[in-house]
Every structure is written in structure tokens, then in C-alpha cells.
Amino acid sequence: MEKIILTGDRPTGKLHLGHYVGSLKRRVELQNSGEFDKIFIMIADAQALTDNADNPEKVRQNIIEVALDYLSCGLDPEKCTIFIQSQVPELCELAFYYMNLVTVQRLQRNPTVKQEIQMRGFSDDEENQNKKGTPVGFFTYPISQASDITAFKATTVPVGVDQAPMIEQTREIVHKFNSVYGETLVLPEMVLPENTTCCRLPGTDGKAKMSKSLGNCIYLSDSSKEIKKKVNSMFTDPEHLQITDPGHVEGNVVFTYLDAFCTPDHFAKFLPEYANLDEMKDHYRRGGLGDGTCKKFLFNIMEEFLAPIRERRKVYEQDIPQVFEILRKGSEVARAQAAKTLEEVKDAMKINYFADKDLIAEQAAKYKAK
Ligand code: TRP
């Protein structure tokens, strides 16, 4: 069986360091591993519209931002198909049929959907003051996500932990479809990021998650100056007032980021006083190591991997029409693949009436016999 990857992001903002460690880095590695027959990377604009109905312009503006972030991180249009969800209408058609295989009650139990309904103020609970209600499209997005995955016969879906319920839902739909209509759809596996710090990079302010609305992000497109400013204002240890004071590394964002990014090579290059992070942490705990030194070290490490990303982004920014052309071509390739799967689905469901010689003959015979 072919090994196929499908994954994607909602275009609601530029991608940040949290996206990079949580998913982009892995995707580029998987792409370059040569282990996969096909890789589809989707800009999920239709899904983004399920909770941005009042702000379609935000989604429209961010398509190019996400595409630029993809390309600058090293996703290579020669090796993977980058496409825009809304340009593959077959996905909607698949979702429409899958809707009959999922109950409202099942969707209501989806933990990610539940949490997102609360976070977005859609809930109609007693406590919720504005009672906006939940858009039906939003409520059913796990089904649409099952179409995204199955349309490409994806075997492998690299995502963050918050997406686990979507993959589970997809697997249930695949089982149900195949048992009702016969073996047609491919059962996907989810792959999570390896390192747990990587799953969840905190914001620069120490809050659990990097998020645009909290204003605590480091963007892949940030300039060197912006990164320096953000690193220098990072949350550290509020009890570490004098350099000589003992310090805490737990909950200290600078050290969380060092955990995620630094290697012994970085010490040799930028901070040869220590052989590794453990030695550096010990010194910080004892007292005598200042936040300024730690931040400067972190900045050097981040610059080392962000500078080439930034440079590549600049090149693509100079030729935006070409980037749209990459997306157009990718969408064409994706559409052909999704159309093929849709045909197979409709065949399995026996709703391909005009291609169904048996049905026509059968009906003709019935009326002849009358
Ligand atoms: N839900 C994903 C996100 O929030 C985007 C997405 C849409 C996706 N369809 C997908 C991810 C299919 C993996 C597979 O970013």
C-alpha cells in the first residue's frame, strides 16, 4: 500500500514557533526522509471559515502568509503538494455523505469541539452571557476533516495532540463506511511530535500556549530585532532578582525554550563555559548566572535556525504570483486525487446511477415484464 501523508493548518494567522516545533519541523523531516509516496499539505481555509464567518477577510489574507511560512521552512513543492481546501469541492461532497454515518451525540462528545465551543463563546450554557450559539459548520468540522484525510487515502496524519479526537472520528467513519459499503477507505494513523516540550511550547509570557490572541508569540517571519526584543522580555524567575540569587528553571520560559532547542554543539559555539544544559541549569539554580547571559544564548540559538527561514521567506515574498501559482497547481493535483476517491465512494454507495449498467438494465426489465 502507498504511504501517504495529509495534514494542514487553518489560515487564521502567520505561523509561529509553536507551529514550527509542534509540526512544521517534523513535516519537513518526513518530506526529506523519502519514505512517503505522496505528501499533501492543506491550507484549511474552509475549516477556518467555520468559526470566522464574520471575518472572511482574515482567512483570505492569511492564505499567502501560511504558504510563505510553509515554503520558507523547507516544504518543497517538488516533493509535496501544497493546496487550498476550498479549491477541492469534492471534499464537501464526501463530507455530505459521511454526515449520515455520524450522530449528533457522537459529535457532542468530541473533547476538542467541546473545548472550542467554550473558548469561542458559542456555548448556550447558563453561565454564557452572549449565547452566540454554535454554527452547524463548526459543529460538524470533524466530519469535514475526515473527508480531508480520506479523500487523499492518507495513511499518516502528523498533528498535535489537540487533533487526536479528529483522527479518532475519522477512523470511526472509515470503519463504518467500509462495513456498510465494502472496503473502500483507508484507515489513517496519527503521528504526534516526539518530544513533549515540543508539543506545547509556552508563550514568551509563560502562559501555557503560544497564541496570537495572547500576544505572546514569536513568528517565523519576525525580524532579528523583533526576536531579540521578545527574548529579552521573556518571563523568567520572578524571585531571581540579583545575579547571585539562586534561581528556578522550572516555569522559567528561557529554560523551557532551551530544553526545546539547544544542543551541546550550541554550547561549544556560543557559551563554552558549560558543556551542556544540565551544567548551565545547575549554575542558575546555585546563583551567579544572570538572565541576560541566558537570554543572549537563547537568542543566538534561535537566530541560527530562524535566519535561514527568514532569508528564504524574503525570496518568495519577492514573487508572490509564483507562490499563488504553486498553490493553484497543487490544488489541481489534489483535486484530481479527491475526485478519484469520490468516484470510488459513489461506486461503493451505488449512487453512480448513469455509470450503473446493471441498474438501468434491471429497471428496464422490470417495466418490460409488466
Ligand atoms: N484542524 C487542523 C487545525 O486546526 C487543520 C486541518 C484541517 C487538518 N483538516 C485537516 C489537519 C486534516 C490534519 C488533517 O489546524
Side-chain angles (χ1 to χ4, degrees), residues 9 15 20 24-25 27-28 31-32 41 43 62-83 220-221 305-330:
D9 301 278
L15 301 181
Y20 183 77
L24 290 170
K25 186 162 174 272
R27 282 184 211 171
V28 175
Q31 168 195 273
N32 295 333
I41 309 286
I43 301 179
N62 278 302
I63 288 175
I64 191 75
E65 297 298 338
V66 171
L68 286 167
D69 287 329
Y70 283 169
L71 294 165
S72 54
C73 281
L75 288 176
D76 175 354
E78 298 286 317
K79 296 183 185 151
C80 62
T81 302
I82 305 175
F83 71 100
L220 293 172
S221 50
F305 79 89
L306 288 173
I309 295 176
R310 194 184 304 130
E311 288 312 304
R312 236 173 300 154
R313 201 180 205 276
K314 282 213 186 89
V315 175
Y316 283 110
E317 283 172 355
Q318 294 316 302
D319 198 355
I320 295 295
Q322 190 221 334
V323 178
F324 275 103
E325 186 55 21
I326 290 171
L327 297 176
R328 192 190 63 75
K329 282 195 184 139

Side-chain angles (χ1 to χ4, degrees), residues 350-368:
K350 291 184 175 280
I351 56 173
N352 253 342
Y353 307 117
F354 305 132
D356 190 344
K357 299 255 158 35
D358 291 347
L359 173 70
I360 299 169
E362 190 188 298
Q363 299 294 327
K366 192 169 89 187
Y367 278 93
K368 226 171 225 158

Side-chain angles (χ1 to χ4, degrees), residues 6-10 42 44 47 141 145 148-149 157 159 163:
L6 176 112
T7 186
D9 301 278
R10 297 182 189 186
M42 181 178 77
Q47 189 178 103
Y141 93 76
Q145 196 153 334
D148 302 336
I149 296 169
V157 187
V159 283
Q163 295 294 301

Side-chain angles (χ1 to χ4, degrees), residues 186-244:
V186 173
L187 192 67
E189 303 285 340
M190 164 174 80
V191 277
L192 291 174
E194 289 143 351
N195 176 327
T196 47
T197 341
C198 288
C199 288
R200 243 167 220 280
L201 200 64
T204 51
D205 56 356
K207 296 232 171 73
K209 211 172 165 177
M210 210 178 250
S211 126
K212 190 174 51 175
S213 51
L214 295 172
N216 61 8
C217 300
I218 292 179
Y219 292 101
L220 293 172
S221 50
D222 277 348
S223 67
S224 175
K225 222 169 114 189
E226 283 164 320
I227 290 173
K228 184 167 255 165
K229 211 171 121 204
K230 289 179 182 180
V231 171
N232 283 333
S233 65
M234 264 183 188
F235 179 85
T236 56
D237 173 7
E239 286 163 36
H240 187 241
L241 297 172
Q242 309 278 332
I243 293 185
T244 48

Side-chain angles (χ1 to χ4, degrees), residues 98 100-103 169-182 185 187:
Y98 294 168
N100 305 324
L101 308 176
V102 181
T103 64
Q169 180 74 77
T170 304
R171 290 170 61 90
E172 285 175 31
I173 290 174
V174 169
H175 280 306
K176 179 96 187 175
F177 188 97
N178 288 350
S179 73
V180 175
Y181 300 112
L185 302 174
L187 192 67

Side-chain angles (χ1 to χ4, degrees), residues 1-219:
M1 195 171 63
E2 279 189 304
K3 289 181 79 179
I4 300 174
I5 289 182
L6 176 112
T7 186
D9 301 278
R10 297 182 189 186
T12 53
K14 295 176 177 187
L15 301 181
H16 52 61
L17 219 53
H19 294 112
Y20 183 77
V21 295
S23 64
L24 290 170
K25 186 162 174 272
R26 187 69 179 286
R27 282 184 211 171
V28 175
E29 286 163 7
L30 291 170
Q31 168 195 273
N32 295 333
S33 75
E35 269 184 52
F36 291 88
D37 300 293
K38 289 180 195 153
I39 302 177
F40 294 94
I41 309 286
M42 181 178 77
I43 301 179
D45 64 329
Q47 189 178 103
L49 288 169
T50 65
D51 64 339
N52 284 286
D54 52 355
N55 200 356
E57 193 55 24
K58 176 169 94 182
V59 176
R60 184 168 176 263
Q61 292 299 326
N62 278 302
I63 288 175
I64 191 75
E65 297 298 338
V66 171
L68 286 167
D69 287 329
Y70 283 169
L71 294 165
S72 54
C73 281
L75 288 176
D76 175 354
E78 298 286 317
K79 296 183 185 151
C80 62
T81 302
I82 305 175
F83 71 100
I84 305 179
Q85 187 183 28
S86 62
Q87 304 309 297
V88 183
E90 287 77 7
L91 297 173
C92 301
E93 213 175 318
L94 278 174
F96 193 71
Y97 296 122
Y98 294 168
M99 282 190 189
N100 305 324
L101 308 176
V102 181
T103 64
V104 170
Q105 290 74 12
R106 174 65 184 86
L107 284 177
Q108 279 168 335
R109 285 197 301 272
N110 182 308
T112 301
V113 171
K114 255 188 183 162
Q115 196 188 13
E116 287 175 334
I117 285 175
Q118 291 297 333
M119 267 162 40
R120 286 163 177 64
F122 291 156
S123 136
D124 51 11
D125 292 359
E126 292 297 311
E127 314 89 76
N128 189 21
Q129 295 302 307
N130 56 358
K131 293 198 190 341
K132 272 197 272 185
T134 308
V136 174
F138 180 80
F139 181 61
T140 57
Y141 93 76
I143 303 178
S144 135
Q145 196 153 334
S147 316
D148 302 336
I149 296 169
T150 55
F152 300 97
K153 303 212 154 127
T155 50
T156 311
V157 187
V159 283
V161 264
D162 62 316
Q163 295 294 301
M166 308 304 156
I167 315 302
E168 199 38 50
Q169 180 74 77
T170 304
R171 290 170 61 90
E172 285 175 31
I173 290 174
V174 169
H175 280 306
K176 179 96 187 175
F177 188 97
N178 288 350
S179 73
V180 175
Y181 300 112
E183 235 12 74
T184 313
L185 302 174
V186 173
L187 192 67
E189 303 285 340
M190 164 174 80
V191 277
L192 291 174
E194 289 143 351
N195 176 327
T196 47
T197 341
C198 288
C199 288
R200 243 167 220 280
L201 200 64
T204 51
D205 56 356
K207 296 232 171 73
K209 211 172 165 177
M210 210 178 250
S211 126
K212 190 174 51 175
S213 51
L214 295 172
N216 61 8
C217 300
I218 292 179
Y219 292 101

